[in-house]
Amino acid sequence: MPTEEEALFSAVDALLEQVAQDDLPPPAERKRLREAAGLSQAQIATALQARREAVGNWELGKTEPRPPKRAAYARLLEGLAARFPAPVDEAPVASAPPVPQTFAEPAPTSAPPEPEPGQAAAPPRPAASTTRPPSTSRPPAARRAAKPASAPLAADPRFENGPLGVLDSDGSLYCVGGLVLDCPAKTIPALVDWTLSQAKLGAPRLHPAGKDADPLIVLTTAAAERFGLPLQLEDRRGLRLPEDHKVVKQLARAKWQLTRRGFGPWARIYRPAEGGRRQCVQLAVLPWAALDARSWGSTDQLEPADIARVLGTYAARVLTPRGSTAVSGLEAMTALRPPTRAVKDEESGTWVPGPMPGSLTAAVDPAPVEAPDEHPTAAALYPRGHQRTPAEVLDEEAYEWIRDPQLLTDAECGRAFAVGIDVNTAFLAAANRLVVGLSGPVHVKAPAFDKKTPGSWLVDLSTIELDPHLPNPFTPHGTRPEGPAWYATPTVAYAQELIDTYRLPAQIRPLEAWIRTEAGPYLDPWYKRISEAYKTTMADLGVTSDLSEEEFLAAMEQHKATDPALAAVLSAIKSTVKGGIGKLRERPKSIRHKFGERWPALERPTWRPDIRAAVISTARVNMHRKVLKTALATQHAPTPTGHLMLDQDALLPIALLSDCAVYLSHGPSPLDFLPHTADGKPAPGAFRLGVSPGMVKHEGTQELLWAVQMLDEGHNPARHIKGTDAALDGE
């Protein structure tokens, strides 16, 4: 249930939205402010989740924004007006040079105004500098100036020093934009007090009905030692300090509280809100592996200024880290689509929290077929250790398939190379415009299939016959199903697509289903924000959408070496996607959990295994659709109506692993086998090289004999095509 604090915040947001309805400058001034800030109409449209054409119409006065976009637009213009006041003379307004999107040095701020008589003075800003004398804890060469990082275009005065800081042993707090603050705190409670009263750290909410991001303080190894923290946690399973540790006792004496996860690598320290103001600070303890190397690379080994640069860029493009990248991925969903908003109670006339349309507003239990084995719903039906059949459980997972080596053709065995191609952020691409269930499941018998209805369907797809050289799209292992099984809506919809397109002799007749009567594109804002973060970071690394295929492959060969810090940001963004989708079905972690009992994650509105299944199902059928279109574009004879059997010329994969496909080729490059039209363009519907989510890149190349040996031994070439284990690399 929403807290009293959340109710008050929602009520205030509603009042602000009402006040802002008519508080818009004239159309010409709107355009002047945008151009003065160096912003494009597309950037503003992305921020407001509107169309670019709509922003252009607002600036021409043809149309006016409607709530809730109107209030957000008014807030943006107000912030821009504070930074770019109108000129006093009548001279034409010159456009300011565009603000760089990455690592822009923040503009100098003027001195704060004197307080009005009787008004309390604002807390003093902590001493700051961008260069500091060398300390005794570091050689002088190591105390270099911080590299500039991204800064908000219209800074919120409450968070003028950015979203986070990295604290070193001498009290230097490295923030974004090269700013270094002097932190005098000697204990963790004092650090929390100072952060909330003087540091001016944090980030504004991503949605008008959401919450501002709490400040993040990152403790280096030296800083952790300074505060009396051990360099390694003794509790390796619980990953937290014991309750009797002196730092935990210090916090308790100072009336600070910890969340249920205690004082661990990502500690959240708070007090109940006072006067509607949050009092919460997030700590990330680097020696306790707060920054997982699988997601962040060697970021924790960088200098504090560079760590601030990496995390600050991620915070500006995704959100302030709140834990692992998986946790941050899930938190981003909630930040972009909060569960509640302020609504007016007609009886009392007061503003109270109400459900947000299009959001996940309450925790719901899954259908029995969607629940993992240990969930109370499934445990009540099957004893522990029971192996559920496809007719008893929904098994929508990513591909793990290899072709029978006996099915390799003579033409394929004459090719010299095995070449892997990898789909860019496949799960993110699958989330785009995906309609998912927003409500709990409803059981129906013998329903008519509707591809617009999210849910799980028990249906027999074994009657659909496909070419044996192809992976079957209906199972993760790529083999033909043996009878009725449970499938998510995207899988059944693809089966219907194959039947209709190729006039296959089969029918879709579900035996039963668990459907969601309320549905919507819940993940769309999440997709838009993270895909933009991904593409912007790739562009910073020299990989843009306007490159030719040859230029794209060349840029991808060196993009990670262009800027290791940005490469770490890119890795974290990709991990955010996979981890966030995985968190939708988080399993119990506590060693105290007993089979059939509930665990804390189940109380989240975002614990939704059905949504996870829908995303993975979509990613898998997207992969199969591209595989099939690639094969059809390369065979000489058209496929006869009534079946999907391909001729010997068709280009077919020998292995699939999640978002990676391996093909045999005469040459070592994807350009040696990917199909193109007569005018040199990629074949419609087939795999296409490029940087956008859903397009592909070169994953790796090995010799033919290597790939054949892998198949003979039952190993998946896609897992090792880069020369390493893809799972260990986070791919």
Side-chain angles (χ1 to χ4, degrees), residues 102-103 309-310 313 317 536-541 559-560 562-573:
T102 58
F103 310 132
R309 180 190 179 209
V310 171
T313 305
R317 295 178 180 178
T536 300
T537 306
M538 289 295 286
D540 291 339
L541 291 168
H559 77 288
K560 291 184 179 179
T562 302
D563 188 328
L566 272 176
V569 175
L570 180 66
S571 174
I573 290 172

Side-chain angles (χ1 to χ4, degrees), residues 426-725:
F427 291 164
L428 184 63
N432 186 22
R433 299 190 299 273
L434 177 64
V435 175
V436 299
L438 303 178
S439 56
V442 176
H443 188 245
V444 291
K445 285 283 191 179
F449 175 69
D450 180 4
K451 66 179 181 180
K452 296 181 180 180
T453 301
S456 302
W457 309 78
L458 180 63
V459 60
D460 188 356
L461 301 182
S462 64
T463 59
I464 301 177
E465 186 174 359
L466 304 176
D467 193 302
H469 295 82
L470 285 171
N472 191 284
F474 311 130
T475 62
H477 41 77
T479 58
R480 188 171 179 173
E482 297 179 353
W486 286 97
Y487 302 99
T489 296
T491 300
V492 186
Y494 185 57
Q496 188 66 63
E497 176 185 327
L498 293 175
I499 292 171
D500 295 342
T501 303
Y502 303 101
R503 299 181 183 178
L504 303 181
Q507 290 184 323
I508 302 297
R509 292 179 176 176
L511 303 175
E512 56 181 298
W514 290 91
I515 62 173
R516 264 76 183 178
T517 56
E518 295 180 30
Y522 170 74
L523 293 171
D524 261 13
W526 186 78
Y527 164 80
K528 291 175 182 177
R529 183 165 181 85
I530 298 185
S531 64
E532 189 63 32
Y534 171 79
K535 290 185 289 186
T536 300
T537 306
M538 289 295 286
D540 291 339
L541 291 168
V543 187
T544 58
S545 59
D546 58 349
L547 298 177
S548 68
E549 291 183 318
E550 293 81 2
E551 291 170 335
F552 169 74
L553 290 174
M556 288 298 296
E557 286 292 325
Q558 59 176 354
H559 77 288
K560 291 184 179 179
T562 302
D563 188 328
L566 272 176
V569 175
L570 180 66
S571 174
I573 290 172
K574 292 193 289 186
S575 294
T576 299
V577 174
K578 289 192 174 182
I581 296 300
K583 275 280 184 180
L584 291 168
R585 196 187 66 166
E586 183 178 357
R587 311 294 278 269
K589 296 180 178 180
S590 173
I591 59 174
R592 301 184 182 88
H593 177 263
K594 295 181 180 180
F595 183 81
E597 289 185 347
R598 299 185 70 83
W599 58 95
L602 303 185
E603 312 311 320
R604 295 194 316 248
T606 49
W607 194 86
R608 291 295 299 272
D610 57 301
I611 295 180
R612 173 187 177 275
V615 172
I616 296 177
S617 164
T618 301
R620 195 181 67 247
V621 300
N622 283 350
M623 172 70 89
H624 190 275
R625 187 182 288 109
K626 294 288 182 66
V627 166
L628 179 57
K629 292 291 186 181
T630 299
L632 293 173
T634 52
Q635 69 175 3
H636 291 163
T639 299
T641 300
H643 67 79
L644 256 179
M645 296 297 165
L646 304 166
D647 66 26
Q648 295 295 308
D649 300 312
L651 183 67
L652 300 164
I654 63 169
L656 299 176
L657 179 69
S658 186
D659 45 12
C660 177
V662 176
Y663 285 88
L664 298 181
S665 169
H666 289 293
S669 167
L671 289 176
D672 294 317
F673 67 88
L674 288 180
H676 290 74
T677 60
D679 57 357
K681 296 181 179 180
F687 288 115
R688 179 176 182 177
L689 291 168
V691 68
S692 296
M695 301 176 79
V696 299
K697 59 182 180 292
H698 183 205
E699 180 74 353
T701 298
Q702 300 287 342
E703 294 181 352
L704 168 69
L705 293 180
W706 172 90
V708 173
Q709 183 177 355
M710 279 274 178
L711 294 177
D712 286 337
E713 295 175 353
H715 301 310
N716 193 326
R719 184 178 295 278
H720 304 281
I721 193 71
K722 287 199 303 186
T724 58
D725 190 322

Side-chain angles (χ1 to χ4, degrees), residues 414-435:
R415 298 166 189 166
F417 299 98
V419 184
I421 53 176
D422 182 78
V423 179
N424 301 325
T425 57
F427 291 164
L428 184 63
N432 186 22
R433 299 190 299 273
L434 177 64
V435 175

Side-chain angles (χ1 to χ4, degrees), residues 221-499:
T221 298
E225 288 184 299
R226 177 189 183 193
F227 290 116
L229 297 174
L231 296 186
Q232 188 174 14
L233 289 172
E234 294 181 5
D235 182 2
R236 301 307 300 163
R237 182 177 290 273
L239 290 177
R240 63 181 64 190
L241 286 178
E243 295 295 325
D244 59 354
H245 191 277
K246 66 176 183 178
V247 171
V248 178
K249 291 182 177 180
Q250 288 172 355
L251 290 168
R253 284 195 297 268
K255 307 300 183 184
W256 289 105
Q257 300 179 37
L258 293 164
T259 57
R260 281 188 300 188
R261 58 182 168 182
F263 200 118
W266 290 90
R268 186 171 290 274
I269 304 170
Y270 71 98
R271 284 177 182 154
E274 291 183 358
R277 183 179 180 183
R278 289 174 61 85
Q279 300 184 91
C280 185
V281 173
Q282 178 89 53
L283 298 184
V285 187
L286 294 187
W288 299 350
L291 299 180
D292 190 331
R294 292 171 296 180
S295 301
W296 295 97
S298 57
T299 298
D300 60 346
Q301 303 300 316
L302 299 175
E303 295 294 325
D306 293 320
I307 296 173
R309 180 190 179 209
V310 171
L311 297 182
T313 305
Y314 179 90
R317 295 178 180 178
V318 183
L319 85 169
T320 305
R322 300 180 185 179
S324 66
T325 50
V327 170
S328 296
L330 197 70
E331 290 285 343
M333 295 179 194
T334 303
L336 293 162
R337 279 201 190 272
T340 61
R341 64 172 179 171
V343 296
K344 193 170 185 179
D345 188 325
E346 298 299 333
E347 294 183 1
S348 63
T350 59
W351 291 93
V352 297
M356 172 70 72
S359 290
L360 302 177
T361 59
V364 296
D365 280 336
V369 299
E370 298 163 350
D373 293 346
E374 61 271 28
H375 191 281
T377 302
L381 298 175
Y382 308 103
R384 186 170 189 172
H386 172 75
Q387 187 68 36
R388 289 196 278 175
T389 67
E392 295 172 338
V393 63
L394 178 70
D395 184 26
E396 294 285 13
E397 299 294 342
Y399 265 130
E400 171 72 77
W401 170 83
I402 61 173
R403 197 187 327 159
D404 184 342
Q406 299 300 319
L407 293 177
L408 292 177
T409 66
D410 292 340
E412 288 175 323
C413 292
R415 298 166 189 166
F417 299 98
V419 184
I421 53 176
D422 182 78
V423 179
N424 301 325
T425 57
F427 291 164
L428 184 63
N432 186 22
R433 299 190 299 273
L434 177 64
V435 175
V436 299
L438 303 178
S439 56
V442 176
H443 188 245
V444 291
K445 285 283 191 179
F449 175 69
D450 180 4
K451 66 179 181 180
K452 296 181 180 180
T453 301
S456 302
W457 309 78
L458 180 63
V459 60
D460 188 356
L461 301 182
S462 64
T463 59
I464 301 177
E465 186 174 359
L466 304 176
D467 193 302
H469 295 82
L470 285 171
N472 191 284
F474 311 130
T475 62
H477 41 77
T479 58
R480 188 171 179 173
E482 297 179 353
W486 286 97
Y487 302 99
T489 296
T491 300
V492 186
Y494 185 57
Q496 188 66 63
E497 176 185 327
L498 293 175
I499 292 171

